[in-house]
């Protein structure tokens, strides 16, 4: 699986995919300054090391799509069916903006989007995973601080439709990874003096990349006019904000008011180590014993013989 990533890129037959290292070299050869991306990666590497991540996702394990043969193709972080794939250990992403070319139409925005995607996927790459073999195939039973039985039962349940808060560990972990990635993008944008574009889609995507979207922005994203792919991209952007990032922010406000950064830091450390002990003790001090299991464990999660216990003792 890890020697052949073609099953992932074949899902995007219109795009040409190249390793991120090759894409950066090609852009630099064409006169595009990639210093912002490289500086952002250095920042991420230092921060992630403090959380326990020893190695960043190798650039050659990140495949970037562009030069699309599809008329009107538009790419970026919210392009469908992309991201990090744990079995193949490969991240598949697309160049932000019009993809009917090799070089980005807006290099600064494309590099900021690329930084957000790479920083995000590095955390998925570094998250603790455990596998068992079932019928000759690897089955993941642990990802970060979430657990799953070989029969498919997850430690935490899916949130109810329309819920304004989350009790789903998948959403919490995804939100934590993206909050961290967008923090790095925001710091990098400030360091290099990037400013918001004036057009509607450019403004939305810049705020999305830097974690500064407002509720009004997400409402505008749902009704943005443009090409079919641009409107779908904007809708996906708004859906991700309301379905992942905003619920994660509410979770921190709900269970760590005034200490959101401290809780976020402990969450990331737990996701990378796979050990919920420090995070659990921190939450227990504030909300009483068994907070993690009380918040997240679904009644459908049972303990079959020989299974790995979940956080808080399973």
């Amino acid at each position: 699986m890890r020697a052949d990533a073609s099953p992932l890129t074949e899902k995007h037959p219109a795009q040409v995919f190249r390793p991120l290292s090759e894409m950066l070299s090609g852009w630099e050869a064409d006169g595009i300054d990639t210093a912002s991306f490289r500086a952002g990666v250095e920042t991420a590497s230092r921060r992630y090391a403090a959380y326990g991540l020893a190695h960043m996702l190798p650039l050659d394990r990140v495949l970037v799509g562009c030069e699309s043969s599809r008329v009107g193709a538009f790419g970026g972080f919210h392009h469908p069916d992309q991201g990090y794939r744990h079995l193949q250990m490969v991240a598949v992403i697309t160049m932000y903006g019009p993809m009917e070319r090799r070089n980005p139409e807006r290099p600064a925005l494309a590099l900021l989007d690329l930084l957000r995607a790479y920083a995000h996927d590095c955390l998925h790459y570094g998250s603790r995973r455990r596998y068992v073999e079932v019928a000759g195939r690897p089955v993941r039973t642990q990802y970060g601080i979430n657990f799953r039985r070989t029969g498919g039962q997850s430690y935490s349940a899916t949130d109810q439709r329309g819920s304004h808060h989350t009790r789903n560990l998948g959403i919490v972990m995804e939100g934590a990874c993206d909050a961290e990635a967008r923090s790095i993008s925001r710091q990098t944008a400030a360091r290099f003096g990037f400013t918001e574009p004036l057009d509607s889609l450019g403004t939305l995507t810049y705020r999305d990349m830097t974690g500064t979207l407002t509720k009004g922005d997400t409402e505008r994203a749902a009704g943005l006019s443009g090409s079919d792919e641009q409107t779908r991209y904007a809708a996906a952007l708004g859906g991700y904000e309301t379905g992942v990032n905003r619920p994660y922010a509410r979770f921190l406000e709900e269970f760590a008011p005034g200490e959101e950064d401290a809780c976020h830091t402990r969450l990331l450390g737990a996701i990378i180590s796979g050990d919920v002990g420090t995070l659990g003790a921190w939450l227990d001090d504030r909300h009483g014993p068994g907070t993690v299991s009380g918040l997240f464990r679904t009644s459908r999660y049972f303990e079959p013989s020989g299974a790995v216990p979940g956080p808080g003792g399973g």
Side-chain angles (χ1 to χ4, degrees):
M1 289 181 179
R2 291 178 177 170
D4 180 15
S6 61
L8 302 179
T9 56
E10 284 169 359
K11 295 179 180 180
H12 305 274
Q15 270 82 262
V16 175
F17 284 90
R18 296 183 178 86
L20 175 53
S21 55
E22 183 180 325
M23 286 293 291
L24 291 171
S25 295
W27 290 350
E28 289 164 349
D30 290 337
I32 295 175
D33 185 357
T34 65
S36 61
F37 176 82
R38 297 190 183 279
V41 171
E42 290 180 5
T43 298
S45 180
R46 289 193 300 270
R47 282 171 55 162
Y48 293 1
Y51 300 135
L53 181 61
H55 304 287
M56 299 286 278
L57 175 60
L59 296 184
D60 289 344
R61 304 300 294 177
V62 181
L63 303 178
V64 184
C66 64
E67 292 185 271
S68 178
S69 60
R70 191 176 66 252
V71 176
F74 193 92
F77 183 82
H78 298 289
H79 191 274
D81 202 11
Q82 64 175 39
Y84 182 72
R85 301 295 181 255
H86 67 101
L87 286 176
Q88 290 84 5
M89 248 178 161
V90 166
V92 175
I93 59 180
T94 49
M95 179 181 74
Y96 173 75
M99 286 196 295
E100 298 170 83
R101 60 187 79 190
R102 187 182 78 167
N103 292 343
E105 181 179 77
R106 297 181 173 185
L109 270 183
L111 286 162
L112 202 59
D113 183 78
L114 189 65
L115 174 61
R116 185 259 194 99
Y118 178 71
H120 182 113
D121 287 340
C122 279
L123 290 169
H124 287 318
Y125 163 74
S127 298
R128 179 74 165 93
R129 292 181 299 276
R130 190 181 321 202
Y131 301 87
V132 298
E133 185 178 314
V134 177
R137 298 279 295 179
V139 174
R140 189 175 66 186
T141 58
Q142 179 182 1
Y143 168 58
I145 56 174
N146 201 9
F147 292 76
R148 185 179 297 275
R149 305 298 186 199
T150 56
Q153 305 96 322
S154 179
Y155 188 85
S156 64
T158 302
D159 293 324
Q160 292 184 354
R161 187 175 180 84
S163 174
H164 292 289
H165 62 259
T166 185
R167 297 294 183 268
N168 181 269
L169 280 169
I171 296 296
V172 169
M173 292 193 300
E174 177 73 5
C177 291
D178 201 48
E180 187 70 10
R182 297 203 298 180
S183 174
I184 290 165
S185 297
R186 183 167 59 251
Q187 178 180 332
T188 302
R191 175 180 172 182
F192 283 84
F194 293 165
T195 56
E196 285 187 2
L198 299 178
D199 63 291
S200 297
L201 182 57
T203 298
L204 284 172
T205 53
Y206 180 87
R207 292 179 182 177
D208 175 53
M209 294 169 193
T210 56
T212 55
L213 282 170
T214 66
K215 184 177 180 181
D217 289 333
T218 54
E219 291 171 351
R220 283 190 289 276
L224 190 76
S225 61
S227 70
D228 287 345
E229 294 215 16
Q230 289 175 340
T231 56
R232 284 197 294 271
Y233 189 88
L237 180 158
Y240 189 84
E241 178 69 10
T242 58
V244 174
N245 285 313
R246 205 165 291 161
Y248 176 64
R250 289 195 193 101
F251 171 80
L252 293 178
E253 292 166 0
E254 186 178 2
F255 292 98
E259 299 180 286
E260 290 90 345
D261 288 345
C263 186
H264 171 74
T265 296
R266 285 167 174 80
L267 260 168
L268 285 174
I271 289 168
I272 291 169
S273 70
D275 182 359
V276 78
T278 300
L279 171 66
W282 192 86
L283 288 170
D284 286 353
D285 284 344
R286 287 150 181 80
H287 304 286
T291 299
V292 171
S293 58
L295 282 175
F296 297 112
R297 187 173 59 193
T298 175
S299 60
R300 293 188 296 273
Y301 186 81
F302 58 92
E303 185 87 53
S305 177
V308 177

